[in-house]
Amino acid sequence: MNKDRFADMSCSVARTAALIADPWALLVLRDLFLGLARFDELRRDLDIATNVLADRLDRLQAAGLVVREPYQQRPVRHEYHLTDAGRDLYGVVLSLLAWGDRHLAVDGVPMRLVHKTCGRPCTPTVTCDHCGERLVDEAVEVLPGPGGRDAPGTTVIARKLFGAREHAADAGETDVPEAVTRP
């Protein structure tokens, strides 16, 4: 799979997927969020081949999500820590955990979350940063942003978001679907 293709798309989902949409990368992020930091800890916990783990850590580091810091000199050993950009993925990992708990945890949830501020068990949800209401597809209107464009990977969505007539005229097309606000 050519991840550069996704990184070049005019879509934040595609660009993010190019960085982290790999089971090993997501599990490395999960373990870093849970406090594991050393290569050997990550390898043991994930039961992953050393070359695969090294590759994922290198990718996460190159993407600016992880920094590598030595903790021992002879032999040199490193710890891996999340950057601010890496820590910003916490909600993404929690959302995946919540979905998996709801739809795939037939034997019960593997981990329970407790909100430290109130001391109560919690289930992650995505909410509006203004009113706090839970965001579900029926309650969100999607509008074009300044970086959106008609490009590979977003051609049909761009037509829907920016207006079917505008793009049809530019492309010389006559059979174009109606514009909508929810993809």
Side-chain angles (χ1 to χ4, degrees):
M1 173 173 41
N2 182 356
K3 290 190 178 231
D4 291 339
R5 177 177 180 211
F6 296 102
D8 292 338
M9 288 183 185
S10 181
C11 172
S12 294
V13 173
R15 291 173 181 163
T16 305
L19 297 177
I20 65 166
D22 164 72
W24 288 123
L26 285 167
L27 290 173
V28 167
L29 289 169
R30 178 207 64 191
D31 278 7
L32 292 171
F33 283 123
L34 291 173
L36 302 183
R38 296 182 176 182
F39 188 93
D40 289 339
E41 290 177 316
L42 295 165
R43 189 194 55 72
R44 258 191 337 271
D45 188 57
L46 298 172
D47 193 26
I48 184 175
T50 55
N51 63 320
V52 175
L53 178 57
D55 177 68
R56 294 324 184 274
L57 287 166
D58 287 347
R59 285 188 204 176
L60 293 171
Q61 186 177 0
L65 303 176
V66 170
V67 293
R68 184 174 79 164
E69 299 172 353
Y71 70 88
Q72 177 181 310
Q73 293 303 319
R74 292 180 197 243
V76 175
R77 299 208 188 273
H78 295 93
E79 289 184 334
Y80 296 85
H81 300 281
L82 294 161
T83 63
D84 288 343
R87 281 189 295 281
D88 279 349
L89 288 167
Y90 189 62
V92 173
V93 174
L94 283 183
S95 291
L96 290 169
L97 177 132
W99 188 91
D101 284 353
R102 184 173 185 175
H103 298 284
L104 303 173
V106 294
D107 296 328
V109 298
M111 294 184 277
R112 293 192 177 161
L113 303 176
V114 175
H115 187 221
K116 288 181 181 180
T117 302
C118 69
R120 307 280 311 241
C122 62
T123 300
T125 59
V126 178
T127 61
C128 174
D129 63 334
H130 293 285
C131 71
E133 184 177 308
R134 186 166 182 246
L135 296 180
V136 294
D137 61 340
E138 299 90 11
V140 176
E141 179 180 14
V142 180
L143 301 173
R149 67 182 189 279
D150 184 336
T154 57
T155 299
V156 176
I157 289 173
R159 289 178 183 163
K160 289 181 176 190
L161 292 178
F162 290 104
R165 289 187 199 92
E166 176 185 338
H167 286 281
D170 291 345
E173 297 177 10
T174 56
D175 184 51
V176 180
E178 290 292 319
V180 297
T181 56
R182 233 183 75 221

